[in-house]
Amino acid sequence: MNSGFLKLQRNLLSMPGIADMYSVEGATGLGLYVSINLYLSHGEGGWGVYTGTQMTVLAVEGHRRRTEVKRVINDYGLFVVDDKEKRFTSHWMQQQFNKGARKLRQSCGTPARTYNPRAEEIELDIEKEN
């Protein structure tokens, strides 16, 4: 995550949870989804605080109501809420942070010591390219 960029998939609007959210919430819901993820991108490991105060902050920043923020977080399966620890993350953020961790693992040590859980997929991609 040191690059300062988040990768947004081109097929975002056709993804199941996003499509459901977009059909109900429209473009404002999509903007709220992106802004919530921007907030999460600054948290450790892509996690943010899930409290009434933080929901109010996100609502004020997005010019929305707190109920709308909570609805986007809770109703579409796009976020994971840990009620016990009062924190939440999104599947998008976890994907972004896991890719960063994978790149870090791949760049450490010699190839013999590199751990890559997707080694077979990478080999198939290389074969397709050749």
Side-chain angles (χ1 to χ4, degrees):
M1 291 303 298
N2 293 333
S3 67
F5 295 95
L6 294 175
K7 291 187 177 183
L8 183 65
Q9 293 179 286
R10 283 188 270 174
N11 67 339
L12 185 70
L13 292 177
S14 63
M15 296 171 71
I18 299 290
D20 294 342
M21 186 265 309
Y22 191 72
S23 68
V24 174
E25 308 290 337
T28 57
L30 182 63
L32 191 54
Y33 169 75
V34 171
S35 68
I36 292 168
N37 278 285
L38 288 172
Y39 157 70
L40 292 173
S41 72
H42 294 285
E44 185 176 332
W47 287 86
V49 179
Y50 187 76
T51 61
T53 303
Q54 186 58 47
M55 296 304 107
T56 300
V57 169
L58 292 169
V60 169
E61 289 175 350
H63 302 280
R64 301 282 105 206
R65 294 186 179 107
R66 188 165 79 167
T67 56
E68 292 174 272
V69 172
K70 290 182 86 171
R71 188 172 59 235
V72 167
I73 292 172
N74 294 319
D75 290 0
Y76 301 103
L78 302 170
F79 295 89
V80 177
V81 177
D82 184 349
D83 287 323
K84 189 175 182 180
E85 294 191 30
K86 296 187 179 190
R87 66 186 193 147
F88 75 109
T89 189
S90 71
H91 300 292
W92 183 21
M93 279 303 101
Q94 291 308 298
Q95 183 182 30
Q96 297 292 313
F97 275 85
N98 287 338
K99 283 182 181 177
R102 187 177 308 124
K103 286 180 184 175
L104 182 62
R105 282 194 303 259
Q106 288 174 345
S107 66
C108 296
T110 64
R113 294 183 188 162
T114 302
Y115 170 71
N116 189 341
R118 293 184 48 238
E120 292 177 7
E121 292 176 36
I122 291 171
E123 287 177 12
L124 290 174
D125 290 342
I126 291 171
E127 289 177 11
K128 286 179 185 177
E129 289 176 3
N130 292 336

